Amino acid sequence: MQPVLSVRNLSVEYAAARGKVKAVNNVSFDLFPAETLAIIGESGCGKTTLALALVRLLSRSARIVSGEVTFSGANGVMPFDILTLNQRQLRAYRWRNCAMVFQSALNALNPVLKVKAQVQDTARAHGERDEKKIEARALQLFKAVRLDPDRVYNAYPHELSGGMRQRVLLALGLLLDPQIVILDEPTTALDVLTQRTIIEVLKRIKQEMGFALVFISHDLSMAAELADRIVTMYAGQIVEIGPVNDVFYRPKHPYTTGLMRAVPGLHGDKADLISIPGSPPDLIAPPPGCKFAPRCPYATAICTQQEPPLEARAPNHASACHHWDQIPILRATERNGSDA
Amino acid sequence: MPSETPIFELRGVHRSFKSGRQVIKVLQDVNLALQPREILCLVGESGCGKTTTGKIIAGMLPASSGEVLFEGRAVAGLKGEDFNAYRKAVQIVHQDPYASLNPTHNLYRTLSFPLFRHKLVKNNAEARARVLELLELVDLTPATDFIEKYPHQLSGGQRQRVAVARALTVNPRLIVADEPVSMVDVSIRVSLLNTLTRLQRQLGLTFVFITHDLAVARYFAWEGRIAVMYLGRVVEIGPAPEVTSNPQHPYTRALISSLPEPDPELTRSKQRLELRSQDIPSLLRIPSGCAFHPRCPFHVPGKCDVERPQLAPTPGASWAACHVTEAAAVRG
Amino acid sequence: MSTLQPTVPTPAALPKLRPVAWLRPLLKHPSGAFGFFGVMFFILLSFVGPLVIPPTKANPSNQYLAPSPTNILGTDNQGKDIFTQIVYGGAPVITVALIAGLIKTAVAITLGALAAYLGGVVDRVINGVANFILTIPYLVAVTVLASFIRLNSPVLLAFLIAAFAWPVLMRTVRAQVLSLREREYIEAARALNLGTFHIIFREILPNMASYIAISMILAMTNAIYAQIALITLGLVPFSDQNWGIMIFKARTLGAINTARTAMYILAPVLAIALFQWSLVTLARSIEDVFNPRLRTGA
């Protein structure tokens, strides 16, 4: 199957007072049609920078140093490299082919404009002028995200709760039927029950509309709920990528394992949890070799000398680690049927 | 069940405030008794009143009515030395590590101000020694590396540790921690929680731990209790492992079943408790009877919307404010 | 909400270091350097100058000479050297400005902080007094006062200027303190019972250090204009040398009317304008000085 988005060797640098911050370092991956890809990592790992680079919304102090982002989703159109588009082409690409909903998007709606004005503005900005058509589509989408269509369409943002606003933004993202939707921390500021609604809504509309979803989160549980494949990022690089069950039950990178062991769940004994010692490396002058080595329980001499390449260790499952085979397997095969 | 006088008690505490002409009832009839050296987690979604409860316990807000007792004595009536003792005995740790420390003071000044103010040290040498001691207590080692640093030179997790050290300067007996780990990286959360647990044991502290994250609450309060709050009331309270694995109140059951878990098969096959409505009632129009009844799948018309349930025993190990569980307990 | 990024804006702090350390960020920008050296130039000129340059004497035969090596800026109607008068004329103006600026800033900061932090009655009283002063027409009141009191002492003049100027600054300080009061570290300070005085002066105000410094400098610029206004209205009895009095005299003599005599009025005007410009530029670049991030090189 041909990927709808193909990222190769993407690197992004920020200019800071002390030097250049290598926020994204030689990242390559594919995004397939209708799949959900979760990008997991903690603060500073580069996941948000990566997402912004995919829609070219980086701040002015950031520079895309190298790489290609090839989009092949549109029917009958030749694949093109997003990084080479000019402003006009970019505006057509954004929202029609690829939409992004930002972190802390609860404040992304203009408080003095009604929702309908913002819907129409968005559509018009990306080349769609038929107001009636847009209104119909918006109402349809609001219904799909379980909002009362007429009430919300005519409301001001402050009349809606946080969860409702998040759903409005989701609907806005889907307005022009994009092939790719990127969500940055979609449920971080939301309560448990609201979060659940968003998750169910996402699952359903994704099934109905068939777009590819990239969502970025530090929350492993969200990834476990929604993802088909998981990408783990650390210090600007991809350290592991694979199908969700493989990554969770048969991880091949110590950072992924470390994350899973550090997250409390609602089951199991208390004694199981261990935090990852140390802190992320300085991205201006990173240490040689594997960037996770200083914090890694499996690290040996080779880890500080040679940077491990991202290579396939199992079908469709790649990791960047010299000692990937030492990582214990949590579950060899999936259980079938419901759990006891 | 309690063996000593509770170190802190809330009896029938209400808290409301006026916004224009409207009265917003943030807390209604909250009853909590904290035993010394206990860990109590207050859990709930936004607007449930857990932060307000924490502030009342810490003395930052007065109760509108009801009794607030510290070591058996009413806080409102404390004056002079007694009030100072109370203030020192109950300290807070805030949520946002980037706002909890004064950016213009280095760690030595931040930690030595209270020491000097309360005459816990006599001179700079003693203060310095004590500050180093406190930094080590919260696992900021080597302490000499940290003592001259400014907050902006520290990570979020480190700042939280400083905030804890600051709370410890006055030798408190009770610490109210409001979401102390939710703005800290996932991989460091456990380490911070372990530090807090160690301090609790070492110093015999009582903890009121406020969080919206049930999994964190379960971990931290493993040997303590969890109180679940909804719209200003405590709806369930019991030992942490019980509340999370065998929740009784329908709201708690909805929370537990809705929480995604870091295990794909488990979380995708989990049975969710469907609620009758997604809308959270506004605090201006709290539903009659049981505040949860418009959303509750076990709602008994004529009972749940009329009579407000009190905390009562349930078939499980926790107590819940629910007519259905109360009836089940009586039967079974 | 952006969970893992800083939420506070750039803080400010009182510099406690050797002068060199806080000069560096100031001098990094060309505007900062200009402001700093400009102010230094005029201060040296006005306070060290009179110790070095002898006073000038009247000499009717040298009336309105053009600028020359002996008289850099020419002479006035009495044949006195204009440059020397500029050297001697700065000190009174700058002194009054400095004292007025200090008084205004100190009063406004203290009252504004107390009003915001304590609230209630204190807030109402302070606001009431401030509002009352703001309703008084400044120049009318001063004119009336001048008929009772001789405004010949710089301190008295400074007090008068500051007395009418503090309410506006007090309001903005109050607004800032109101917002800082809600910060978590202030709540922690209250929980630790650190005391009102400590909280206001050692927790809240250090976070406004750059704002206070800038306000102080701008208060000086306002004080200079206020002085000139009083002098121009003839409310200040003539002392010997003073930039403002030079302007007053030159104006009444009609010095602006001819090119030959124009330097008499232009020189003090330019002196004041350049000094003000240096002050304002300095004020704008002073924020970097108070930023602990730059000082500690993080």
Side-chain angles (χ1 to χ4, degrees):
Chain A
M1 196 185 353
Q2 218 207 359
V4 62
L5 196 70
S6 193
V7 179
R8 292 283 173 272
N9 308 110
L10 183 62
S11 294
V12 180
E13 278 179 2
Y14 281 99
R18 271 195 309 128
K20 290 203 182 2
V21 179
K22 301 180 190 50
V24 174
N25 197 342
N26 204 11
V27 161
S28 307
F29 66 93
D30 289 325
L31 177 68
F32 294 99
E35 84 162 329
T36 302
L37 185 71
I39 304 183
I40 300 294
E42 298 177 294
S43 56
C45 72
K47 53 194 199 295
T48 302
T49 308
L50 176 60
L52 291 173
L54 295 181
V55 281
R56 288 187 54 193
L57 277 175
L58 292 166
S59 69
R60 243 177 285 156
S61 58
R63 224 166 49 89
I64 298 179
V65 172
S66 69
E68 292 169 0
V69 178
T70 313
F71 173 75
S72 354
N75 295 329
V77 177
M78 286 290 290
F80 51 86
D81 184 355
I82 296 168
L83 303 179
T84 61
L85 298 179
N86 62 33
Q87 281 304 317
R88 196 179 45 86
Q89 292 166 320
L90 253 187
R91 218 173 307 141
Y93 169 72
R94 286 190 202 126
W95 237 258
R96 279 187 182 281
N97 300 122
C98 176
M100 181 158 172
V101 180
F102 296 93
Q103 188 177 16
S104 50
L106 300 179
N107 295 321
L109 289 172
N110 189 330
V112 299
L113 293 177
K114 285 197 182 175
V115 167
K116 66 177 169 194
Q118 302 190 53
V119 168
Q120 294 291 348
D121 281 349
T122 308
R124 221 173 311 136
H126 297 281
E128 182 57 68
R129 288 190 164 71
D130 187 342
E131 277 193 26
K132 288 246 179 298
K133 179 167 149 209
I134 290 297
E135 179 171 336
R137 175 117 180 103
L139 293 176
Q140 181 194 30
L141 284 169
F142 284 168
K143 216 158 129 220
V145 299
R146 291 171 69 170
L147 288 170
D148 178 349
D150 289 302
R151 176 179 157 220
V152 171
Y153 192 66
N154 292 299
Y156 283 99
H158 62 81
E159 294 169 349
L160 308 173
S161 73
M164 292 167 88
R165 271 180 268 164
Q166 188 70 313
R167 280 177 275 164
V168 166
L169 284 159
L170 197 50
L172 254 182
L174 298 167
L175 200 60
L176 301 176
D177 206 3
Q179 284 92 27
I180 305 174
V181 177
I182 304 178
L183 297 180
D184 191 353
E185 304 277 10
T187 58
T188 297
L190 301 176
D191 289 325
V192 172
L193 295 178
T194 318
Q195 189 185 47
R196 174 52 48 192
T197 311
I198 302 272
I199 293 175
E200 299 303 323
V201 155
L202 261 177
K203 283 184 189 168
R204 242 219 353 244
I205 49 175
K206 185 167 171 298
Q207 206 166 18
E208 282 173 13
M209 297 175 61
F211 52 84
L213 176 65
V214 177
F215 84 86
I216 296 159
S217 185
H218 62 273
D219 189 347
L220 280 178
S221 312
M222 280 291 288
E225 276 277 351
L226 290 169
D228 296 317
R229 283 194 306 148
I230 297 199
V231 167
T232 313
M233 278 190 80
Y234 186 77
Q237 295 171 310
I238 294 184
V239 295
E240 185 161 6
I241 175 168
V244 61
N245 285 352
D246 284 350
V247 173
F248 267 95
Y249 300 135
R250 298 170 279 278
K252 305 240 178 305
H253 194 281
Y255 179 59
T256 310
T257 318
L259 275 183
M260 293 195 304
R261 282 207 290 238
V263 174
L266 290 175
H267 301 269
D269 248 345
K270 173 172 171 162
D272 284 341
L273 294 183
I274 314 169
S275 76
I276 306 179
S279 48
D282 179 3
L283 292 176
I284 295 179
C290 173
K291 299 196 181 29
F292 188 64
R295 308 170 75 185
C296 182
Y298 302 98
T300 59
I302 187 179
C303 300
T304 49
Q305 291 156 5
Q306 233 184 63
E307 200 175 301
L310 184 67
E311 276 175 9
R313 312 290 180 195
N316 265 331
H317 188 175
S319 102
C321 179
H322 294 300
H323 302 298
W324 60 274
D325 46 357
Q326 290 178 23
I327 298 170
I329 292 179
L330 299 167
R331 206 182 294 172
T333 52
E334 274 65 286
R335 296 176 210 156
N336 288 327
S338 52
D339 276 346
Chain B
M1 205 167 54
S3 47
E4 316 165 48
T5 321
I7 182 173
F8 211 95
E9 242 191 295
L10 297 176
R11 287 189 197 157
V13 165
H14 293 250
R15 167 83 189 165
S16 18
F17 65 93
K18 278 205 205 35
S19 172
R21 238 173 291 162
Q22 297 166 327
V23 175
I24 302 180
K25 294 193 195 145
V26 181
L27 292 181
Q28 298 173 74
D29 198 21
V30 171
N31 296 285
L32 286 172
L34 285 159
Q35 300 302 324
R37 291 179 298 282
E38 175 182 8
I39 299 180
L40 175 70
C41 272
L42 292 180
V43 170
E45 301 180 299
S46 54
C48 70
K50 56 191 195 294
T51 300
T52 308
T53 307
K55 288 198 175 170
I56 290 180
I57 295 176
M60 304 267 85
L61 281 180
S64 304
S65 70
E67 293 177 86
V68 179
L69 304 167
F70 171 61
E71 290 182 333
R73 301 169 62 191
V75 158
L78 293 176
K79 289 192 183 1
E81 265 315 302
D82 292 330
F83 182 72
N84 280 339
Y86 159 62
R87 257 297 161 78
K88 285 197 285 187
V90 181
Q91 286 299 313
I92 11 176
V93 176
H94 290 102
Q95 174 179 17
D96 186 349
Y98 296 95
S100 58
L101 300 177
N102 192 328
T104 61
H105 297 323
N106 66 15
L107 299 196
Y108 172 69
R109 290 181 80 190
T110 297
L111 293 175
S112 61
F113 279 144
L115 294 173
F116 282 115
R117 168 76 180 180
H118 296 286
K119 299 194 177 45
L120 295 163
V121 293
K122 286 197 226 49
N123 52 42
N124 281 332
E126 270 186 37
R128 198 182 162 82
R130 179 70 182 140
V131 169
L132 288 170
E133 218 176 70
L134 286 164
L135 288 173
E136 294 199 351
L137 206 53
V138 296
D139 293 322
L140 280 175
T141 50
T144 41
D145 270 359
F146 285 97
I147 193 166
E148 305 280 334
K149 286 214 152 89
Y150 282 84
H152 68 264
Q153 296 172 293
L154 305 177
S155 71
Q158 289 168 331
R159 287 184 218 204
Q160 284 302 64
R161 290 174 192 274
V162 177
V164 174
R166 178 180 55 191
L168 294 175
T169 52
V170 289
N171 302 317
R173 299 188 48 205
L174 196 162
I175 293 193
V176 176
D178 191 348
E179 307 263 17
V181 296
S182 36
M183 290 179 78
V184 169
D185 269 333
V186 168
S187 64
I188 303 180
R189 258 176 221 182
V190 172
S191 154
L192 193 51
L193 289 173
N194 287 342
T195 302
L196 291 176
T197 309
R198 178 178 53 76
L199 288 171
Q200 192 259 342
R201 274 196 215 122
Q202 215 174 310
L203 304 172
L205 296 167
T206 312
F207 257 95
V208 175
F209 191 96
I210 299 169
T211 180
H212 65 277
D213 189 335
L214 274 162
V216 166
R218 179 174 188 267
Y219 181 77
F220 187 68
W222 184 256
E223 290 166 28
R225 295 187 291 162
I226 291 183
V228 180
M229 294 186 71
Y230 182 73
L231 285 185
R233 293 212 175 92
V234 175
V235 296
E236 181 161 358
I237 182 165
E242 298 297 323
V243 172
T244 46
S245 52
N246 191 14
Q248 297 297 307
H249 193 283
Y251 176 62
T252 318
R253 290 175 60 182
L255 281 182
I256 300 277
S257 72
S258 299
L259 213 56
E261 304 218 33
D263 180 325
E265 285 203 312
L266 179 60
T267 200
R268 293 182 200 209
S269 59
K270 222 165 137 177
Q271 290 284 47
R272 318 264 171 229
L273 189 68
E274 289 296 331
L275 294 178
R276 294 196 302 147
S277 158
Q278 296 302 324
D279 294 325
I280 304 172
S282 138
L283 286 173
L284 293 168
R285 276 178 295 278
I286 298 180
S288 57
C290 170
F292 191 60
H293 84 254
R295 306 170 75 187
C296 182
F298 307 106
H299 161 64
V300 174
K303 177 92 173 168
C304 297
D305 47 356
V306 172
E307 197 187 311
R308 194 159 70 71
Q310 302 291 338
L311 279 172
T314 64
S318 53
W319 282 35
C322 174
H323 295 300
V324 177
T325 59
E326 191 177 352
V330 168
R331 278 198 308 272
Chain C
M1 123 179 243
S2 173
T3 55
L4 304 167
Q5 263 110 57
T7 52
V8 276
T10 317
L14 292 167
K16 292 184 356 174
L17 312 170
R18 303 165 355 255
V20 180
W22 51 264
L23 271 184
R24 215 176 303 129
L26 194 60
L27 299 178
K28 236 196 290 184
H29 307 286
S31 54
F34 172 79
F36 180 72
F37 287 122
V39 172
M40 281 293 112
F41 168 71
F42 279 103
I43 291 184
L44 283 171
L45 189 74
S46 306
F47 292 94
V48 175
L51 305 172
V52 168
I53 299 178
T56 180
K57 292 200 179 36
N59 190 344
S61 55
N62 286 348
Q63 206 188 50
Y64 285 133
L65 290 178
S68 66
T70 36
N71 304 93
I72 309 175
L73 297 172
T75 56
D76 67 2
N77 67 320
Q78 291 183 302
K80 289 197 205 167
D81 178 35
I82 291 179
F83 177 70
T84 313
Q85 290 184 56
I86 293 284
V87 168
Y88 277 78
V93 176
I94 296 178
T95 311
V96 171
L98 194 61
I99 300 178
L102 274 170
I103 297 175
K104 169 189 174 182
T105 313
V107 169
I109 300 263
T110 309
L111 293 183
L114 283 171
Y117 188 73
L118 296 174
V121 174
V122 176
D123 192 16
R124 281 203 295 273
V125 167
I126 294 178
N127 271 319
V129 172
N131 286 334
F132 173 66
I133 294 179
L134 283 171
T135 57
I136 301 177
Y138 170 62
L139 290 176
V140 171
V142 171
T143 312
V144 168
L145 270 172
S147 52
F148 293 108
I149 317 170
R150 256 178 86 76
L151 298 172
N152 55 351
S153 119
V155 175
L156 189 58
L157 203 52
F159 254 103
L160 194 63
I161 293 174
F164 283 94
W166 70 262
V168 177
L169 183 59
M170 188 280 288
R171 286 253 187 87
T172 50
V173 168
R174 177 178 172 276
Q176 292 231 340
V177 174
L178 272 179
S179 91
L180 281 173
R181 190 182 70 165
E182 304 306 319
R183 293 278 161 94
E184 270 97 313
Y185 55 84
I186 299 297
E187 195 175 72
R190 279 209 297 269
L192 288 164
N193 223 351
L194 294 179
T196 304
F197 185 86
H198 171 102
I199 292 179
I200 292 181
F201 289 98
R202 302 194 76 185
E203 301 276 347
I204 296 183
L205 290 185
N207 278 286
M208 294 169 53
S210 74
Y211 177 79
I212 293 173
I214 295 172
S215 303
M216 165 76 200
I217 295 174
L218 294 178
M220 281 180 67
T221 60
N222 286 329
I224 292 178
Y225 288 135
Q227 282 182 72
I228 305 299
L230 290 177
I231 292 170
T232 313
L233 288 176
L235 296 173
V236 176
F238 285 11
S239 62
D240 215 0
Q241 320 268 30
N242 183 312
W243 289 342
I245 289 174
M246 282 175 76
I247 298 179
F248 181 80
K249 278 193 191 157
R251 201 180 59 91
T252 41
L253 288 170
I256 193 88
N257 294 326
T258 66
R260 205 183 106 214
T261 57
M263 188 54 81
Y264 188 26
I265 195 174
L266 283 180
V269 167
L270 276 174
I272 293 175
L274 282 172
F275 185 54
Q276 297 282 58
W277 189 9
S278 308
L279 278 178
V280 170
T281 319
L282 180 66
R284 274 172 42 189
S285 38
I286 210 160
E287 186 140 24
D288 290 345
V289 170
F290 292 99
N291 191 334
R293 268 174 229 255
L294 291 175
R295 277 192 292 128
T296 52

